[in-house]
Amino acid sequence: MEKFKARINLFLLVIVLSLLSLAAEAQRPNYLDHNCPNTTTFSINSTYQANRDALLSLLSSNGTRGDGFYNTTSGSGADMVYGLFLCRGDLSTSVCQACVTFAADDISQRCPVEITAVIWYDECLLRYSNQSIFSSVAEEPGILMVSTQNINDQVRFNRQLQATMDDTVTEAANTSRGAKKFAIREANFSSFQNLYTLAQCTPDLSSMDCDRCLQFAMGNLPGGNQGGRVLTPSCNVRYETYRFYNQTAVAPPPPPPAPASGGNSRRTWRTIVVVVVPIVVSILLLFFTCWLLKRRASKKYDHVQSENGKGHHD
Ligand SMILES: *[C@@H]1O[C@H](CO)[C@@H](O)[C@H](O)[C@H]1NC(C)=O
Ligand SMILES: *[C@@H]1O[C@H](CO)[C@@H](O)[C@H](O)[C@H]1NC(C)=O
Ligand SMILES: *[C@@H]1O[C@H](CO)[C@@H](O)[C@H](O)[C@H]1NC(C)=O
Ligand SMILES: *[C@@H]1O[C@H](CO)[C@@H](O)[C@H](O)[C@H]1NC(C)=O
Ligand SMILES: *[C@@H]1O[C@H](CO)[C@@H](O)[C@H](O)[C@H]1NC(C)=O
Ligand SMILES: *[C@@H]1O[C@H](CO)[C@@H](O)[C@H](O)[C@H]1NC(C)=O
Ligand SMILES: *[C@@H]1O[C@H](CO)[C@@H](O)[C@H](O)[C@H]1NC(C)=O
Ligand SMILES: *[C@@H]1O[C@H](CO)[C@@H](O)[C@H](O)[C@H]1NC(C)=O
């Protein structure tokens, strides 16, 4: 009985720990990819490194910028470093700040000696270079990510995706240089499946450059999957069959409003999964342990019986 109580306490501990780790994970941005060619590197303790590190802390300390974008430089002459960050347009300044701070540290670990680097997360991107990267469009390096889940009725889905993404891209690019370039859209694909799209450029681009970059990104989306993204240093596009952005945080909501019940039930379902799964797993483990203990008891019994009956076994 004592043993059993100890086990229950252990399970409570497991539950608490798994909830805590989930909470910690919520703070941590979701890493997607990074790129820093090792063909051009700087030497350890060089001026360039000092400038790079200073730049990263400048970006980090300006992560609270309300518009989710910031560009700055560090150093001068040949050792000058240009850097910027861009947060996803629907995120709060605190989420943006957390992502940029994390990214600044992460990128210096993943790219310790590389002269140019870019890193992408769900929540933000951060990049730096020894060449001016401001107000000019960079489509390379590009990253393509697709969901492993296929979609039924691909032809119709791709047609809808194309149309919705076209609108999203047009809206995102349709602001002057310096203004936020971010748009989301949604469309219902079937009575039980919706399509959610997002397009974003760094605001330092002209409308034309943003459009060019987004057309390039959109053109590289393969379609046929339940989700896909193309990430470039200057812009990115994404689509999913679930709402992956915070719609209420985006100033003018997109024209076709979703049936509220759909969104709510989705959210409820998600919350349930996140909170309940660890508990359910723990309870299942508890039952499993009880079953094992019982089995061990009955096995002992079997063993004794076989010893008495058929003689030695194993
Ligand atoms: C550069 O990266 C490539 C591939 O990741 C690796 O094979 C190569 O050894 C690296 N070169 C240096 C100098 O680190
Ligand atoms: C770089 O500087 C640090 C601290 O000043 C020093 O400990 C380290 O040995 C230096 N590394 C190189 C490669 O010069
Ligand atoms: C932001 O960057 C500027 C320089 O670009 C710097 O002076 C400032 O300390 C940084 N941090 C904040 C919080 O403004
Ligand atoms: C940010 O980029 C713009 C050009 O897009 C430039 O005029 C401005 O000086 C840059 N800001 C900093 C702090 O370097
Ligand atoms: C950036 O670094 C590369 C590699 O060292 C060099 O070839 C290039 O000239 C540098 N560009 C600038 C603008 O300093
Ligand atoms: C671009 O935005 C302006 C107003 O901000 C609007 O009048 C115009 O129709 C938009 N163009 C497109 C192609 O959406
Ligand atoms: C999308 O929603 C509207 C209104 O709810 C409905 O009339 C239409 O049939 C739906 N389209 C599809 C493809 O399910
Ligand atoms: C969505 O954005 C709104 C408005 O900025 C904010 O109040 C809400 O907490 C956000 N929700 C999530 C889940 O981030």
Side-chain angles (χ1 to χ4, degrees):
M1 201 57 199
E2 284 290 307
K3 223 178 186 177
F4 195 67
K5 262 186 184 162
R7 265 167 213 280
I8 289 184
N9 283 339
L10 191 67
F11 280 117
L12 284 176
L13 190 67
V14 167
I15 291 172
V16 170
L17 283 180
S18 52
L19 287 177
L20 280 179
S21 76
L22 277 170
E25 231 147 67
Q27 300 295 317
R28 194 191 163 105
N30 186 34
Y31 167 78
L32 300 173
D33 213 330
H34 74 282
N35 182 288
C36 47
N38 64 6
T39 46
T40 58
T41 57
F42 55 79
S43 40
I44 310 274
N45 292 349
S46 62
T47 312
Y48 191 85
Q49 175 168 28
N51 291 342
R52 195 272 311 253
D53 294 347
L55 173 94
L56 290 178
S57 70
L58 275 182
L59 291 177
S60 214
S61 63
N62 281 287
T64 49
R65 294 262 162 164
D67 46 7
F69 172 81
Y70 189 66
N71 64 317
T72 193
T73 60
S74 173
S76 61
D79 289 318
M80 185 141 143
V81 191
Y82 300 79
L84 60 81
F85 69 74
L86 174 70
C87 287
R88 207 177 69 203
D90 60 306
L91 297 177
S92 66
T93 49
S94 64
V95 174
C96 179
Q97 166 75 69
C99 185
V100 173
T101 302
F102 185 88
D105 183 50
D106 201 19
I107 201 170
S108 61
Q109 288 180 32
R110 293 182 195 265
C111 306
V113 294
E114 286 79 5
I115 287 181
T116 67
V118 53
I119 190 163
W120 294 272
Y121 304 85
D122 270 345
E123 294 84 0
C124 70
L125 85 82
L126 188 150
R127 60 187 287 227
Y128 62 80
S129 172
N130 70 335
Q131 296 176 346
S132 176
I133 50 172
F134 306 154
S135 306
S136 64
V137 61
E139 292 166 357
E140 304 283 342
I143 306 287
L144 168 67
M145 298 176 70
V146 292
S147 146
T148 51
Q149 229 76 44
N150 284 346
I151 202 101
N152 296 325
D153 200 353
Q154 296 205 354
V155 174
R156 200 168 66 81
F157 182 81
N158 288 345
R159 205 182 306 132
Q160 174 121 43
L161 173 61
Q162 181 72 41
T164 313
M165 196 54 99
D166 264 338
D167 290 348
T168 318
V169 162
T170 304
E171 185 190 331
N174 188 18
T175 66
S176 58
R177 190 192 296 276
K180 192 170 182 174
K181 294 187 168 54
F182 175 75
I184 52 173
R185 284 285 166 118
E186 62 183 76
N188 53 343
F189 174 58
S190 66
S191 48
F192 60 92
Q193 209 159 39
N194 285 8
L195 172 65
Y196 301 88
T197 58
L198 175 154
Q200 185 168 24
C201 292
T202 57
D204 58 335
L205 296 186
S206 67
S207 176
M208 226 176 77
D209 281 345
C210 174
D211 190 63
R212 195 180 105 204
C213 186
L214 289 174
Q215 295 293 345
F216 167 83
M218 181 169 61
N220 280 287
L221 277 176
N225 306 289
Q226 288 198 4
R229 324 176 188 198
V230 172
L231 313 167
T232 79
S234 286
C235 71
N236 61 80
V237 295
R238 178 177 179 187
Y239 75 90
E240 304 283 356
T241 51
Y242 62 92
R243 185 178 285 125
F244 57 93
Y245 46 72
N246 182 357
Q247 188 185 9
T248 57
V250 183
S261 62
N264 283 344
S265 68
R266 204 178 295 267
R267 171 160 301 179
T268 311
W269 185 81
R270 245 206 189 146
T271 312
I272 286 170
V273 168
V274 165
V275 178
V276 171
V277 161
I279 295 173
V280 169
V281 167
S282 303
I283 289 171
L284 284 180
L285 268 176
L286 183 64
F287 278 116
F288 181 66
T289 311
C290 289
W291 176 76
L292 265 189
L293 287 174
K294 241 184 164 177
R295 209 177 112 107
R296 209 194 274 168
S298 63
K299 228 183 178 175
K300 249 186 206 157
Y301 181 67
D302 281 350
H303 193 63
V304 169
Q305 251 202 345
S306 73
E307 253 178 4
N308 287 346
K310 295 166 204 157
H312 275 278
H313 192 265
D314 95 357

